[in-house]
Amino acid sequence: MSTQGRCRCQSCTIRGLIGPAIVITIGVLFLLHETQGGHFDFQNTWPVILLVIGLLQLASAFSSREGHVDSQPPVPVVPTPPAPPPPVNPPQSYLASREQ
């Protein structure tokens, strides 16, 4: 686990509620379908799920990001490689033998 905690800004908190809100909305729609004798079929009520998602996305977009903690680890700094060593001059005896 990360030693850095989850982000607690309002925007991230609202985004974390999208999944539970969808599950609750679907549960309420199924409950209404069962108790109201079939007037709330899925083909009639699926736009409600889209409305819930859209409202939570809008709330997240307009909420404060003050104190936001980025979830991505910092990019490591790659050290620059050392400079290559200067060229080595061949010994004079090698040069003299090549000239003959």
Side-chain angles (χ1 to χ4, degrees):
M1 293 244 2
S2 173
T3 58
Q4 183 180 14
R6 279 186 348 163
C7 180
R8 302 273 185 215
C9 73
Q10 289 179 349
S11 178
C12 292
T13 301
I14 292 172
R15 284 182 189 215
L17 294 175
I18 290 176
I22 292 171
V23 171
I24 291 170
T25 302
I26 291 173
V28 168
L29 292 175
F30 280 135
L31 180 65
L32 287 173
H33 174 70
E34 292 296 320
T35 60
Q36 299 299 321
H39 295 296
F40 291 95
D41 289 333
F42 183 74
Q43 55 264 41
N44 296 330
T45 58
W46 66 267
V48 175
I49 297 171
L50 296 179
L51 287 171
V52 169
I53 292 171
L55 288 173
L56 287 172
Q57 289 289 336
L58 277 173
S60 175
F62 288 118
S63 63
S64 170
R65 291 184 61 94
E66 183 177 338
H68 178 71
V69 177
D70 196 11
S71 62
Q72 302 220 349
V75 178
V77 177
V78 179
T80 57
V88 177
N89 294 331
Q92 292 297 331
S93 61
Y94 175 76
L95 291 176
S97 65
R98 299 243 32 223
E99 290 177 356
Q100 295 176 359

